[in-house]
Amino acid sequence: MSLRVYNTLTRQKEEFKTVVPGQVAMYLCGPTVYKPSHIGHMVGPVIFDTIKRFLAYSAYKVKFVINITDVDDKLIVKAAEKGTTVDALAKEMTQDYFDNLKTMGVDSVDIFPYATEHIQEMQDIIATLIKKDFAYPLDGDVYFNVPKDKDYGKLSHRNIEEMMAGTRVEATDRKRNPADFALWKAAKPGEPSWESPWGPGRPGWHIECSAMSRKHLGDTIDIHGGGLDLMFPHHENELAQSECCTGKTFSRYWLHNGLMQAGKTSGKVGGGHSREGDLAESQQEQEAGKIAGSKGAASVKELFKVHHPETVRFFLLATHYRSPIDFSDDNLLQTGKSLEGFYRLFETYEHITKQSFYALKASTTRAGSVELKGEPAAYFQELADYRTRFLDSMDDDFNTGGAVGTLFELRKTLNAFINDQKLEGAGASNTAAVAALTTGLTLLRELSLLLGVFRDPIAKAAAADDGFSNELMQLVLDLRAEARKSKNWPLSDMIRDRLTALKVVVEDRPDGARWKRG
RNA sequence: GGAGCCGUCGCCAAGAGGCCUAAGGCAGUGGAUUGCAAAUCCGCCACCGUCGGUUCAAAUCCGACCGGCUCCUCCA
């Protein structure tokens, strides 16, 4: 099966064909760095990070760019509020963004270009647009002339006449047409500004992406991504500017991810108060303070105090990227629970082989995928089927939700194999069976790494790593083992009950007792 | 008012004309296993918002309706 992607431009799934065979240029609209990231800011990066992993696995050479918007109205307002400079605020919030990306396991981004470092490139585009009569200067501003662009509206599937019919034409509006948008804004006192042929000023909202995408990825890119909320006007305008400037296709595929929603009933999320609509304010808020009285969504850092980042990432990928995501503590808690079985399997595997799942060497390419041959044939056949289904799901418009499903099925097969072969007990010395198990775990590692999950051991509770506690626990369990040997059930049960009360879970496995803090 | 999205088991969520008498997870439940538990495995647990239509065939296409949601601009 070959890759098919849903293209917003055509509103259908299309076969994926890149400009340059074997290479992918991918651009994702990044944040305006004026406040700490909330979970909505992480959705796009996690999804496109996963897309990049899969494309790379599928033998594409991918260049992935996320921009940082470090000049904007919201920044100016916020900096003034906080009594700091735009530059200082932007730097602080950019760092926050980077921290959060790292925690979420988003590490495949090649370049993070800054808007303020591309003023010249923006001006070049504006100058070309003026020359081609697609834009006009007006008292220090420069506007894009929307009616001049006959393709305008093709991305968001709107037609200009209808739009204008619905637009209130202000008597004071100086623009030639209400739909025209600013490419360059004349400087106001106290605001950051740059020299330009049209006088000192700063860029409009959309021009930065056109400029940075062009500079780092070329006139025509393969994938342009962003939240659904950015489709109009941001992407529509970007598209118009870029194509009118270069005369070429701006992006072959437009991928829009669904937005987070704070469910009406979900109430608090990650410890922060959220009202309906707050989260949907989304990836790149277009208007600061749009929702009056809004406290805003919980910051990502607050969220991580309550939910493990891996749980959050898994949760985001368990739903199709184009669907809205109902974000709530309950949902996250359920996801966390569903992951425990994986962690337990990894633990069991380590007990059997004395080797960590996390140390398994997995292929990062489809061509190098682990070989699934051997005995028992039925077991290997199942593994092969899961791999096929997982990859087919991903090939079908990056259906991570379907792919996640096969991961759970794979887990079940692996556990069943351990049971059948008694690998925790009598079968432990069956080296062929243990090797077969390792093959299965290697497949699991290969596939889960594609989603960017189960990359590293999750941090255990601090006390569990404390040598003294470990030895003490070993002592208690040894004593209990003695009691069990002499069938002193009341005593062994008492020990277990008392430990349970201390939130220590004891499991009597075939190869001995195992404990962990609950 | 205009444009668009969504409605699949108690909850989350794949599937997008026949392989669906609908994947997977969480919860529930019966069993195997266990001294008892825990964990694990096996089994059970949905006719796909409603009503019509198209078709040999629809959860999947069309229409209406009901319910949920988003966007409609950088000037305010």
Side-chain angles (χ1 to χ4, degrees):
Chain A
M1 206 183 197
S2 59
L3 180 59
R4 294 169 62 79
V5 301
Y6 182 88
N7 190 351
T8 306
L9 203 54
T10 58
R11 299 267 163 106
Q12 59 189 24
K13 284 184 195 172
E14 297 173 4
E15 193 161 334
F16 186 66
K17 286 219 164 63
T18 59
V19 177
V20 180
Q23 288 186 31
V24 178
M26 183 159 86
Y27 185 93
L28 175 66
C29 285
T32 298
V33 281
Y34 73 106
K35 68 174 191 183
S37 345
H38 67 247
I39 183 62
H41 295 112
M42 295 293 112
V43 179
V46 166
I47 287 164
F48 285 89
D49 174 68
T50 305
I51 287 176
K52 173 165 178 182
R53 286 163 191 274
F54 184 67
L55 290 173
Y57 181 80
S58 304
Y60 285 103
K61 195 171 181 316
V62 187
K63 191 167 175 188
F64 179 20
V65 175
I66 299 182
N67 71 284
I68 301 292
T69 298
D70 55 355
V71 55
D72 169 272
D73 294 355
K74 294 186 288 286
L75 259 162
I76 294 168
V77 170
K78 198 77 176 176
E81 251 173 46
K82 294 184 72 172
T84 180
T85 64
V86 166
D87 188 53
L89 179 63
K91 278 205 167 63
E92 185 191 338
M93 294 308 154
T94 301
Q95 192 52 51
D96 176 77
Y97 182 67
F98 287 159
D99 290 347
N100 295 139
L101 290 186
K102 188 170 183 223
T103 312
M104 290 294 286
V106 176
D107 61 2
S108 69
V109 183
D110 297 290
I111 304 171
F112 288 100
Y114 293 83
T116 52
E117 292 172 9
H118 294 76
I119 301 294
Q120 185 57 52
E121 286 82 354
M122 297 185 213
Q123 292 186 1
D124 291 346
I125 293 176
I126 296 171
T128 304
L129 288 171
I130 292 175
K131 198 187 301 167
K132 289 189 171 182
D133 200 30
F134 281 112
Y136 56 92
L138 186 66
D139 304 332
D141 293 337
V142 179
Y143 291 99
F144 184 84
N145 187 351
V146 169
K148 184 88 201 295
D149 175 17
K150 59 186 189 333
D151 279 343
Y152 191 83
K154 72 177 177 182
L155 178 65
S156 53
H157 303 267
R158 291 156 201 250
N159 82 52
I160 315 178
E161 282 78 47
E162 272 179 20
M163 275 174 43
M164 304 213 293
T167 310
R168 321 168 291 286
V169 181
E170 303 287 333
T172 56
D173 206 328
R174 301 140 53 235
K175 295 183 288 189
R176 289 186 196 171
N177 187 291
D180 293 352
F181 55 90
L183 297 168
W184 188 260
K185 298 177 179 181
K188 292 178 195 154
E191 290 182 356
S193 68
W194 289 263
E195 284 307 317
S196 86
W198 317 285
R202 60 196 169 89
W205 172 28
H206 319 291
I207 194 69
E208 64 198 74
C209 288
S210 290
M212 292 187 272
S213 165
R214 185 186 194 190
K215 163 110 181 258
H216 297 283
L217 297 170
D219 286 349
T220 300
I221 66 175
D222 297 297
I223 296 176
H224 192 113
L228 207 49
D229 57 334
L230 297 181
M231 186 169 83
F232 188 89
H234 184 56
H235 288 161
E236 190 71 60
N237 291 353
E238 250 184 79
L239 172 73
Q241 292 160 357
S242 292
E243 298 200 344
C244 289
C245 171
T246 65
K248 298 176 192 164
T249 298
F250 177 44
S251 175
R252 294 171 75 102
Y253 304 95
W254 288 83
L255 273 50
H256 287 99
N257 61 269
L259 307 178
M260 305 294 319
Q261 336 242 176
K264 313 154 282 307
T265 54
S266 53
K268 286 170 63 171
V269 177
H273 293 280
S274 66
R275 283 190 351 172
E276 188 175 358
D278 285 1
L279 287 165
E281 202 179 345
S282 146
Q283 279 76 357
Q284 194 163 355
E285 282 91 342
Q286 289 140 39
E287 299 168 68
K290 178 174 179 177
I291 299 165
S294 161
K295 286 183 179 172
S299 73
V300 179
K301 281 178 177 163
E302 286 296 312
L303 182 72
F304 288 157
K305 288 179 187 165
V306 185
H307 302 285
H308 195 282
E310 181 150 278
T311 301
V312 178
R313 178 161 182 137
F314 203 92
F315 175 73
L316 292 179
L317 295 174
T319 306
H320 189 94
Y321 77 87
R322 279 190 281 116
S323 306
I325 305 172
D326 182 17
F327 202 74
S328 70
D329 275 332
D330 283 350
N331 288 162
L332 243 15
L333 250 21
Q334 188 174 300
T335 299
K337 230 175 203 172
S338 73
L339 293 183
E340 283 171 17
F342 284 104
Y343 301 135
R344 208 173 275 120
L345 170 62
F346 302 157
E347 228 172 83
T348 301
Y349 177 71
E350 192 162 346
H351 274 268
I352 293 170
T353 64
K354 305 286 175 265
Q355 185 187 188
S356 168
F357 165 80
Y358 297 99
L360 290 174
K361 214 167 160 293
S363 173
T364 55
T365 65
R366 205 182 281 227
S369 183
V370 60
E371 203 177 330
L372 303 175
K373 277 194 195 139
E375 292 295 326
Y379 164 76
F380 280 97
Q381 185 57 51
E382 277 186 67
L383 298 188
D385 288 346
Y386 293 142
R387 174 170 60 195
T388 302
R389 280 172 48 201
F390 183 100
L391 298 179
D392 282 354
S393 287
M394 292 299 284
D395 271 333
D396 181 13
D397 194 30
F398 311 110
N399 181 1
T400 53
V404 161
T406 67
L407 244 35
F408 281 101
E409 291 181 78
L410 174 56
R411 177 177 87 185
K412 194 179 277 192
T413 292
L414 262 16
N415 275 136
F417 187 71
I418 291 170
N419 279 359
D420 293 346
Q421 304 289 138
K422 296 185 170 45
L423 293 181
E424 280 191 276
S429 55
N430 181 345
T431 53
V434 171
L437 177 65
T438 293
T439 302
L441 268 298
T442 302
L443 175 64
L444 176 55
R445 179 134 181 88
E446 180 178 321
L447 301 181
S448 56
L449 244 24
L450 273 177
L451 299 179
V453 295
F454 308 143
R455 299 171 68 183
D456 302 300
I458 59 167
K460 290 179 185 151
D465 291 325
D466 170 5
F468 181 70
S469 298
N470 283 335
E471 292 195 29
L472 209 53
M473 272 306 301
Q474 203 47 58
L475 170 65
V476 173
L477 291 180
D478 283 348
L479 289 172
R480 179 163 172 273
E482 286 302 318
R484 294 186 70 213
K485 205 186 281 179
S486 55
K487 298 201 190 308
N488 187 347
W489 307 129
L491 177 59
S492 74
D493 286 350
M494 185 191 87
I495 294 172
R496 189 172 60 197
D497 291 345
R498 293 283 297 271
L499 287 172
T500 303
L502 294 171
K503 295 216 185 308
V504 172
V505 179
V506 177
E507 292 177 21
D508 290 319
R509 320 267 327 176
D511 57 354
R514 202 185 292 174
W515 69 280
K516 70 172 180 198
R517 293 174 66 108

